[in-house]
């Protein structure tokens, strides 16, 4: 997937290649190419610590001469940066001092030294007054977090950014933060919130440092399908002009979305099979691959069964283009897990839906909460009496 404009962060591209390099389903011939590209990127940015780690994990061969050269380059560059900071502090103003410290922060980020980069960013922040510039430092921290998949760092940085926005801040940075938070939510399996944040950012997307616009639309459609009802999906995704202009460039995605909405279940399963490879080889979605597969099937089976009070298993199997045994096994699992509200009459070969009564469920919940409240009041009254 390629973006229309903007440049993706080189370290996030490297992180994706490292992910593919250790992925068990990637072919060996592809891994040979990935090794060359990773080594080239590591040498280019003098990421000595990562080079040592990859060599220790037997992913790259250790060349001591190359490692020594990287360390020498790092030392030389740091010496120059320290001299610039000293010169700025002695002869120049506060703005130049901040810029010199920021240059050192960016160098540590490029060299892959996480701890020193975070430490230097804090120093740079102490020299920063403008809220917008402080926000930019938070975005650098978030990029470090996504490179290492450090969700604790990402979560704290997002909270920090939100606090900064209370002091002020422009809409462009606020919209960028939505995409960062959406990616964090998606990476931590909060697909509903991720979909909301992504959909809010469709028309204002400028976060090309994270991923291209095509990839952003890919994530938006995937998260929306398992989070939105049919009406919202139609309004916000199926008919969205921003999505329509891009969705055709992404293999299987248009068929996946439209066949779901148009109830073309055979086509849906065909497109779904094509998309599984993209989901499996995505660094952020891969840990949730099985979960996402289950959730999508729950959505599609629920949509099909919603139209019937009862339907034969044979008719459902034909609609999805699968065998009766497959659909029987699938549904029994989802019914047992409480994901589908129906029962299977194996003798008659029929599925009978038993949709939960929403009003009755609300009534029962109110009664339960009322009893709980009364018990708490009684306990409190005893304490007061004492």
């Amino acid at each position: 997937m390629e973006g229309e404009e903007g440049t993706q962060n080189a370290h996030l591209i490297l992180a994706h290649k490292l992910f593919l390099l250790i992925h068990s389903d990637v072919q060996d011939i592809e891994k040979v190419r990935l090794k060359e590209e990773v080594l080239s990127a590591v040498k280019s940015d003098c990421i000595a610590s990562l080079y040592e780690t990859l060599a220790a994990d037997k992913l790259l061969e250790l060349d001591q001469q190359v490692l020594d050269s990287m360390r020498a380059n790092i030392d030389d560059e740091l010496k120059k940066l320290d001299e610039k900071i000293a010169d700025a502090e002695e002869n120049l103003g506060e703005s130049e001092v901040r810029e010199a410290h920021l240059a050192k922060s960016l160098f540590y980020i490029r060299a892959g030294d996480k701890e020193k980069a975070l430490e230097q960013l804090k120093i740079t922040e102490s020299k920063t007054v403008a809220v917008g510039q402080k926000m930019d430092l938070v975005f650098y921290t978030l990029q470090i977090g996504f490179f290492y998949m450090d969700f604790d760092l990402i979560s704290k940085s997002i909270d920090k950014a939100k606090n900064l926005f209370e002091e002020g801040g422009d809409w462009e940075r606020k919209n960028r933060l939505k995409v960062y938070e959406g990616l964090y939510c998606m990476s931590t399996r909060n697909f509903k919130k991720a979909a909301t944040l992504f959909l809010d950012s469709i028309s204002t997307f400028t976060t090309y440092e994270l991923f291209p616009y095509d990839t952003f639309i890919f994530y938006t459609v995937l998260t929306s399908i398992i989070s939105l009802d049919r009406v919202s999906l139609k309004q916000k995704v199926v008919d969205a002009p921003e999505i329509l202009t891009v969705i055709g460039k992404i293999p299987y995605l248009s068929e996946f979305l439209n066949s779901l909405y148009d109830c073309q279940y055979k086509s849906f399963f065909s497109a779904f099979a094509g998309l599984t490879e993209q989901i499996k080889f995505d660094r952020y979605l891969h840990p949730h691959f099985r979960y996402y597969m289950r959730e999508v099937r729950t959505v599609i089976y629920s949509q099909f069964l919603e139209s019937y009070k009862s339907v034969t298993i044979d008719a459902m199997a034909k609609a999805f283009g699968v065998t009766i045994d497959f659909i029987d096994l699938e549904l029994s699992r989802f019914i047992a897990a409480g994901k589908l509200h129906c029962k299977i009459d194996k003798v008659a070969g029929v599925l009978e839906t038993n949709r939960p009564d929403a009003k009755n469920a609300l009534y029962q919940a109110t009664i339960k909460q009322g009893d709980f409240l009364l018990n708490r009041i009684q306990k409190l009254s005893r304490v007061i009496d004492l």
Side-chain angles (χ1 to χ4, degrees):
M1 296 177 191
E2 295 179 357
E4 293 171 1
E5 56 181 281
T7 307
Q8 190 177 0
N9 182 291
H11 276 206
L12 293 180
I13 295 172
L14 175 60
H16 182 65
K17 288 176 181 176
L18 288 170
F19 163 73
L20 293 176
L21 194 56
I22 59 172
H23 200 297
S24 57
D25 292 337
V26 174
Q27 294 180 353
D28 289 341
I29 192 165
E30 181 68 11
K31 286 186 177 182
V32 171
R33 183 185 64 80
L34 285 167
K35 275 185 183 181
E36 290 173 0
E37 291 178 2
V38 166
L39 181 59
S40 175
V42 167
K43 283 181 180 178
S44 173
D45 286 340
C46 294
I47 315 176
S49 56
L50 180 61
Y51 182 59
E52 285 182 282
T53 303
L54 293 174
D57 293 340
K58 308 294 183 189
L59 292 172
L60 294 177
E61 290 181 16
L62 182 63
D63 185 331
Q64 192 61 43
Q65 201 172 355
V66 170
L67 183 60
D68 291 341
S69 174
M70 284 185 195
R71 285 174 174 163
N73 287 337
I74 290 169
D75 291 340
D76 288 346
E77 189 64 31
L78 284 173
K79 191 176 177 183
K80 290 176 188 174
L81 288 166
D82 286 334
E83 285 172 1
K84 282 183 181 177
I85 290 170
D87 178 57
E89 287 175 341
E90 286 178 24
N91 306 311
L92 303 170
E94 290 180 1
S95 176
E96 288 79 7
V97 170
R98 181 196 174 273
E99 289 303 314
H101 278 288
L102 177 60
K104 190 174 180 181
S105 302
L106 296 178
F107 175 74
Y108 276 133
I109 292 171
R110 198 170 76 247
D113 195 328
K114 180 185 176 185
E115 301 308 321
K116 286 185 179 176
L118 293 173
E119 187 182 324
Q120 187 61 38
L121 282 168
K122 283 181 182 176
I123 295 169
T124 308
E125 187 185 0
S126 68
K127 311 284 183 186
T128 306
V129 178
V131 174
Q133 290 179 332
K134 285 184 179 180
M135 272 302 309
D136 290 338
L137 297 178
V138 175
F139 287 133
Y140 288 131
T141 307
L142 284 166
Q143 287 164 30
I144 293 170
F146 280 116
F147 179 80
Y148 291 99
M149 294 300 248
D150 184 341
F151 294 125
D152 184 51
L153 176 63
I154 295 167
S155 177
K156 286 176 180 175
S157 298
I158 289 170
D159 290 340
K160 184 177 180 179
K162 287 178 178 177
N163 290 332
L164 282 171
F165 279 136
E166 290 177 8
E167 299 173 24
D170 57 89
W171 281 105
E172 192 266 336
R173 288 185 175 93
K174 284 183 180 179
N175 289 326
R176 282 177 66 201
L177 182 64
K178 284 182 182 179
V179 180
Y180 277 89
E181 189 179 2
L183 182 58
Y184 165 70
C185 290
M186 187 182 77
S187 302
T188 52
R189 203 176 283 184
N190 188 350
F191 290 114
K192 191 174 182 66
K193 189 173 181 182
T196 302
L197 290 164
F198 285 155
L199 287 166
D200 283 349
S201 310
I202 280 183
S203 58
T204 56
F205 180 83
T206 56
T207 323
Y208 294 99
E209 68 273 15
L210 282 183
F211 35 63
Y213 190 62
D214 293 11
T215 306
F216 171 67
I217 293 299
F218 176 68
Y219 292 153
T220 304
V221 172
L222 289 188
T223 53
S224 297
I225 276 176
I226 61 171
S227 305
L228 303 181
D229 56 57
R230 275 180 63 81
V231 175
S232 300
L233 191 70
K234 175 74 170 169
Q235 290 174 347
K236 297 179 180 180
V237 183
V238 176
D239 291 340
E242 296 89 354
I243 290 176
L244 289 170
T245 55
V246 175
I247 197 168
K249 299 177 185 177
I250 305 163
Y252 303 106
L253 192 61
S254 178
E255 190 183 354
F256 180 66
L257 173 64
N258 291 309
S259 58
L260 168 71
Y261 186 77
D262 296 335
C263 304
Q264 301 294 324
Y265 300 114
K266 272 187 190 177
S267 300
F268 177 84
F269 260 36
S270 173
F272 189 33
L275 272 180
T276 53
E277 289 291 297
Q278 293 179 56
I279 298 169
K280 194 189 295 183
F281 292 132
D282 186 276
R283 182 168 171 253
Y284 304 108
L285 288 170
H286 176 262
H288 317 294
F289 177 68
R290 289 181 180 278
Y291 173 83
Y292 187 81
M293 298 280 281
R294 283 196 303 271
E295 289 300 302
V296 168
R297 276 144 56 209
T298 302
V299 168
I300 199 77
Y301 293 147
S302 297
Q303 180 174 292
F304 177 85
L305 292 169
E306 216 169 275
S307 308
Y308 302 95
K309 189 170 184 182
S310 66
V311 61
T312 63
I313 300 173
D314 180 51
M316 187 171 180
K318 283 177 180 174
F320 283 92
V322 294
T323 63
I324 292 174
D325 290 339
F326 174 82
I327 209 77
D328 181 47
L329 182 63
E330 279 275 274
L331 294 178
S332 60
R333 284 175 182 164
F334 285 109
I335 292 166
K339 295 279 188 181
L340 293 176
H341 301 289
C342 64
K343 58 183 179 180
I344 301 173
D345 184 341
K346 190 75 173 174
V347 177
V350 172
L351 286 165
E352 295 179 6
T353 58
N354 51 353
R355 296 184 194 88
D357 186 340
K359 281 188 180 179
N360 190 43
L362 185 63
Y363 173 75
Q364 294 297 335
T366 306
I367 294 293
K368 191 175 180 181
Q369 288 168 1
D371 287 343
F372 178 71
L373 180 62
L374 285 170
N375 289 335
R376 292 295 295 270
I377 291 170
Q378 285 171 356
K379 285 179 183 177
L380 186 62
S381 66
R382 284 197 214 95
V383 172
I384 293 169
D385 288 342
L386 288 172

